[in-house]
Amino acid sequence: MDIEKILKELEPEERVSLLSGVNSWGTAAVPRLHIPPIIITDGPHGVRKTKTDGGSFDIGNNEPSTAFPTAAAIASSWNTDNAYKMGVAIAKECRLLGVNVLLAPGVNIKRSPLCGRNFEYYSEDPLLTGKFAAAFIKGVQSLGVACCIKHFAANSNEDFRFYGDSIVDERTLREIYLRAFEIAVKDAKPYALMCSYNSVNGVLMSENKLLLTDVLRGEWGFDGLVMTDWGAIRDKVKGVIAGCDLEMPGDVTYNKTRLLNAMKNDTEVSKSVETSVRRVLSLVDKTFNSAHTCESDLKDHLTLATEIAADCAVLMKNDGTLPLSGSEIIFIVGEMFEKMRFQGAGSSLITPTKLISPKNAFDAHGVQYEYSKDSVPEKISADVILFFGGLTDFEESEGFDRKNMKLSAKQTSLIKALLRTGKKVVFILFAGSPVELPFANLLSAILNMYLPGMCGGEAVYKLVYAEVNPSGKLAESWPRSSKDSSCAEDFGKGPVSNYYEKSEVGYRYFDKHPEKLTFPFGHGLSYTTFSQKIIEKTDNSVTFSVSNTGSCDGAEVVQYYETIDGIRNLLAFEKVYLKAGETKTIELAFERPDYTGYSTQIDFKPQPIADTITLESPLKDFKKTISGKLLYNLVLATVRKDYKKARKLPDSPQRDAKLKNAHFVLKMMPNSSLRGLAMSSGGKFTYEMACAFVEIANGHIAKGLALMRKPRPA
Ligand code: BGC
């Protein structure tokens, strides 16, 4: 594609049209110049290609694709090859479905265990996160499909994600929250990046020139395209000048008109538009002219999804009860045996090509068991009880944060009742993030599957019966409770997040407070034993000798840390697969990051939040006035209707998906702003209507109604 020639031929209107989506999943085409639309879909753990464009919330209506383990699980494998292989497989499915850009990977740092979207993120550690992201991007892009790394930056909570402001000093920002992006951008060169909804130190990310242009492009050499998160644009002109190229889902007439007018009067704007259009064309070029051919066998992906899920699982505790030999009599409790929670809720929801629950797998392998969904019989005839449980999609999801780390009261009392039987109880856990485990010392074993993807049940079977030896290690610390986390004083308290704990995130904090942990970062057991020692060290490399000293094959993760400026840092890691009795020598190269030159002071004072209702106010604030409450109820009623409708459906996987989608939207809506809704509705709810709603909510009914009656711009 001759980008410079096309640029010269594009009319101003066409240029503007290229900087905005035409619907949730496509950019504008310019047929006369043979510019095709770019087709975009959600990831990150599979391809969520919607069957129709029903807007950004049309989550349940997808083409089937392989649902791989979620990022929280993948990172626990500490094997970046898993991310690479999964990237290749997902790219093949993208190619089959005609997708050019995958909205993945999610590389936000887990600041608090309560963030509802932690299942979609890798780790609390920037190096581990960055390395996994880089491997995934390389896998996807090896087949000419673009990755859009997200959500840049310091987007650490869900409750306030649409209008929150992350107040964070420069050193912490760079050392913790930007570093994962930096590693992935420099190492894997993603073709695209998504800026988040929130502000950082008072500047909205879609208008943040410092981060989008000076740091990302200037310092790190990013040469790809920046797109907004869905509806994250506020001032289109400011956005383009700041380096935010593409507005998604777009099709907001108000924004197009403003940009077009600004271009006429301001050369800085027209120059920025040209730069952004060049980036859009370059993305078209990269993803359409790919020479790679693609053959995909979805059956291979079932095998891959199973292997990866098994490699991710973390054996958090074991008194020798696991593995089972096959001769034990087992009693199984917990609905997740049949209805495994295998993925998270929200925009990442995949319609799986197949689902293998633990029940499916146990039955297929001829395992004999007795099963009770949710009660404990008076007398259990068995040697071992397997309890399948964890968090549900109603407790943990994109769109809202958890209030605490507790399992539901129902599950907790079930576990307690099982423990009272005096039998050995093995907890097989499905959750996207840490949960409180006050009874951990009474359990015989805890096998943490995280959210293992659609083949998770088969992986459970293989791990429990030792066809695979567990080898995952926690990629995040497991505090005793959320009150023990390093940002507990701030998290969830309001839209302005004060990152007061600075770089003491995760193990960097718990190193000083080990008593606050149930399980530390990097922890994970095996059915075999290992020994390891450092045999050589230079300034930037370290050589380990690692031996499998037990009687079965297994894998150990070599982790190398150094204390820098008083805080421990993971500098390198590698997973080593060893036969029983085998020894390997592993050399790890590393860099020692130095952030000491950056300021640890915050020289920004957040503005007090306005009393009146504005376009930026979350919908829940509309309840403050009588007319605003009416509007609030009107909007929420539609969403509640969907939720009620889904509840009435007969029990089926479709009902589960519909219900959790409706719940996600219901929880998210009160935190959405009218500006955000106008920017993400694909033209259905116009900017002018949003302004009218604001007037009405502030009691200016006549003015609001007049605005509503104004003819809409063409
Ligand atoms: C999410 C993104 C997602 C986009 C499109 C947003 O609300 O934050 O991660 O890619 O929607 O579904």
Side-chain angles (χ1 to χ4, degrees):
M1 179 186 254
D2 188 342
I3 293 176
E4 294 310 313
K5 184 165 175 276
I6 294 179
L7 261 176
K8 284 199 192 94
E9 292 177 29
L10 279 168
E11 298 294 339
E13 289 78 6
E14 289 169 330
R15 289 177 180 226
V16 167
S17 76
L18 284 169
L19 301 188
S20 152
V22 289
N23 56 41
S24 300
W25 312 115
T27 62
V30 183
R32 78 175 181 93
L33 296 174
H34 309 289
I35 303 172
I38 301 173
I39 306 301
I40 303 172
T41 66
D42 263 313
H45 320 113
V47 193
R48 184 170 77 80
K49 172 110 191 307
T50 53
K51 285 190 176 159
T52 52
D53 175 50
S56 51
F57 295 143
D58 188 24
I59 290 167
N61 190 18
N62 311 314
E63 301 287 352
S65 73
T66 308
F68 284 95
T70 71
I74 299 286
S76 313
S77 75
W78 290 65
N79 178 355
T80 54
D81 283 352
N82 288 329
Y84 181 85
K85 287 183 194 160
M86 173 172 149
V88 171
I90 293 178
K92 285 181 179 174
E93 297 188 24
C94 281
R95 299 285 304 265
L96 285 177
L97 292 167
V99 171
N100 311 102
V101 180
L102 183 78
L103 301 173
V107 303
N108 295 91
I109 293 296
K110 301 180 192 201
R111 179 179 177 227
S112 159
L114 297 181
C115 172
R117 217 170 173 180
N118 277 358
F119 71 89
E120 225 175 312
Y121 301 142
Y122 293 110
S123 175
E124 66 192 23
D125 181 79
L127 179 90
L128 195 62
T129 302
K131 294 277 182 202
F132 268 87
F136 180 81
I137 294 165
K138 285 181 190 170
V140 173
Q141 295 195 167
S142 70
L143 289 179
V145 174
C147 270
C148 179
I149 185 169
K150 63 190 188 181
H151 312 82
F152 188 68
N155 171 191
S156 313
N157 67 60
E158 286 297 291
D159 278 352
F160 308 103
R161 69 170 172 158
F162 293 125
Y163 62 110
D165 194 355
S166 301
I167 310 301
V168 48
D169 66 83
E170 183 171 14
R171 172 167 177 172
T172 305
L173 187 62
R174 288 185 178 260
E175 184 172 356
I176 306 292
Y177 298 96
L178 297 186
R179 186 156 171 243
F181 285 98
E182 181 180 1
I183 293 170
V185 163
K186 287 183 174 167
D187 187 19
K189 306 203 178 322
Y191 295 162
L193 172 141
M194 182 192 285
C195 68
S196 51
Y197 293 109
N198 56 291
S199 300
V200 175
N201 295 333
V203 186
L204 199 71
M205 273 313 302
S206 60
E207 296 169 13
N208 202 315
K209 185 167 176 300
L210 172 71
L211 294 183
L212 296 183
T213 295
D214 303 350
V215 173
L216 174 69
R217 294 191 163 105
E219 291 183 29
W220 304 346
F222 176 75
D223 64 356
L225 169 138
V226 171
M227 70 177 79
T228 64
D229 200 340
W230 267 225
I233 196 82
R234 179 174 59 189
D235 185 320
K236 176 80 179 172
V237 178
K238 269 195 193 165
V240 171
I241 292 174
C244 180
D245 308 303
L246 176 67
E247 166 200 346
M248 290 301 294
D251 208 16
V252 179
T253 310
Y254 173 79
N255 288 347
K256 289 186 190 163
T257 316
R258 266 208 72 213
L259 190 61
L260 204 57
N261 289 337
M263 276 165 75
K264 286 180 196 149
N265 307 320
D266 189 333
T267 46
E268 192 193 359
V269 180
S270 44
K271 265 198 185 151
S272 302
V273 166
E274 180 165 306
T275 308
S276 290
V277 172
R278 187 177 283 111
R279 294 189 189 123
V280 172
L281 296 177
S282 160
L283 186 61
V284 171
D285 197 39
K286 283 176 190 156
T287 58
F288 279 86
N289 287 355
S290 159
H292 302 277
T293 55
C294 164
E295 277 170 32
S296 180
D297 185 344
L298 291 177
K299 268 202 206 138
D300 290 350
H301 295 179
L302 287 179
T303 314
L304 183 64
T306 309
E307 280 170 8
I308 297 179
D311 203 42
C312 298
V314 185
L315 183 61
M316 299 209 295
K317 184 183 175 196
N318 191 16
D319 63 3
T321 302
L322 289 183
L324 300 182
S325 66
S327 59
E328 303 85 351
I329 301 175
I330 58 172
F331 191 85
I332 293 177
V333 182
E335 195 182 10
M336 288 198 193
F337 179 57
E338 292 173 274
K339 275 193 179 183
M340 165 183 71
R341 181 147 179 267
F342 65 99
Q343 65 174 337
S347 60
S348 65
L349 188 110
I350 299 295
T351 302
T353 51
K354 187 174 179 167
L355 189 53
I356 308 177
S357 68
K359 182 174 188 314
N360 297 144
F362 278 36
D363 290 347
H365 290 281
V367 176
Q368 300 294 310
Y369 58 84
E370 272 187 70
Y371 168 59
S372 157
K373 188 164 105 178
D374 51 14
S375 60
V376 182
E378 287 246 316
K379 196 167 163 13
I380 297 181
S381 54
D383 303 310
V384 181
I385 299 169
L386 301 183
F387 174 70
F388 288 80
L391 291 175
T392 67
D393 295 301
F394 305 98
E395 293 160 310
E396 169 188 60
S397 159
E398 178 185 339
F400 63 93
D401 297 314
R402 286 188 295 164
K403 296 290 164 256
N404 57 52
M405 281 172 45
K406 291 185 197 307
L407 287 167
S408 68
K410 204 169 147 195
Q411 289 202 38
T412 306
S413 60
L414 206 50
I415 295 172
K416 285 187 179 158
L418 293 174
L419 288 169
R420 278 197 298 272
T421 64
K423 304 271 173 190
K424 288 169 181 293
V425 180
V426 173
F427 187 3
I428 296 168
L429 173 60
F430 299 89
S433 43
V435 293
E436 282 183 26
L437 293 167
F439 34 71
N441 58 348
L442 302 173
L443 291 163
S444 288
I446 306 171
L447 180 63
N448 173 11
M449 299 301 296
Y450 273 104
L451 300 179
M454 67 187 205
C455 300
E458 182 66 16
V460 170
Y461 168 80
K462 286 185 186 305
L463 292 157
V464 167
Y465 287 99
E467 279 189 24
V468 175
N469 189 346
S471 61
K473 307 271 178 196
L474 295 175
E476 63 190 317
S477 310
W478 279 51
R480 288 176 313 192
S481 80
S482 57
K483 290 198 186 88
D484 292 317
S485 84
S486 65
C487 60
E489 296 299 316
D490 173 71
F491 192 86
K493 301 280 191 308
V496 178
S497 302
N498 286 304
Y499 286 50
Y500 69 92
E501 72 284 9
K502 301 195 178 283
S503 60
E504 291 194 2
V505 178
Y507 68 85
R508 289 170 163 79
Y509 169 79
F510 292 112
D511 277 358
K512 294 180 186 156
H513 307 277
E515 75 289 352
K516 294 186 170 186
L517 279 174
T518 309
F519 293 111
F521 178 84
H523 167 78
L525 306 173
S526 167
Y527 296 151
T528 185
T529 49
F530 300 96
S531 72
Q532 50 172 288
K533 58 173 186 279
I534 293 178
I535 51 177
E536 203 188 326
K537 217 172 120 178
T538 70
D539 236 16
N540 49 17
S541 78
V542 58
T543 308
F544 284 84
S545 165
V546 202
S547 306
N548 181 341
T549 52
S551 54
C552 62
D553 301 352
E556 176 63 315
V557 177
V558 180
Q559 304 167 36
Y560 180 66
Y561 300 85
E562 272 185 19
T563 299
I564 302 173
D565 210 17
I567 291 188
R568 192 161 64 106
N569 270 268
L570 177 72
L571 292 190
F573 62 91
E574 189 169 321
K575 189 163 191 174
V576 192
Y577 294 81
L578 295 156
K579 299 247 168 263
E582 192 183 9
T583 297
K584 278 185 186 166
T585 302
I586 302 295
E587 188 185 337
L588 302 178
F590 59 84
E591 283 170 16
R592 222 173 258 111
D594 181 8
Y595 291 94
T596 47
Y598 293 108
S599 166
T600 54
Q601 301 303 312
I602 295 174
D603 42 26
F604 168 78
K605 284 237 166 343
Q607 296 290 315
I609 299 195
D611 259 357
T612 51
I613 292 167
T614 70
L615 272 178
E616 303 304 317
S617 311
L619 272 183
K620 63 183 176 201
D621 280 8
F622 278 55
K623 289 191 283 184
K624 287 182 198 161
T625 67
I626 297 170
S627 47
K629 202 171 174 179
L630 275 172
L631 291 176
Y632 175 86
N633 287 337
L634 198 79
V635 177
L636 265 282
T638 342
V639 186
R640 279 199 200 103
K641 213 167 86 195
D642 284 349
Y643 185 66
K644 282 186 191 150
K645 229 163 91 186
R647 282 185 69 158
K648 284 190 188 137
L649 293 171
D651 197 20
S652 70
Q654 286 74 14
R655 174 189 189 265
D656 292 347
K658 279 209 158 66
L659 197 60
K660 72 193 223 181
N661 291 337
H663 180 257
F664 155 59
V665 179
L666 191 60
K667 292 288 277 190
M668 193 168 56
M669 201 48 97
N671 289 318
S672 307
S673 69
L674 282 189
R675 188 255 307 165
L677 291 178
M679 297 300 167
S680 59
S681 74
K684 289 184 204 108
F685 179 62
T686 63
Y687 182 81
E688 292 74 13
M689 278 160 84
C691 294
F693 271 40
V694 169
E695 294 296 346
I696 293 173
N698 283 317
H700 312 141
I701 317 271
K703 201 169 165 194
L705 290 177
L707 269 177
M708 285 231 210
R709 270 189 237 113
K710 241 172 117 178
R712 290 188 208 170

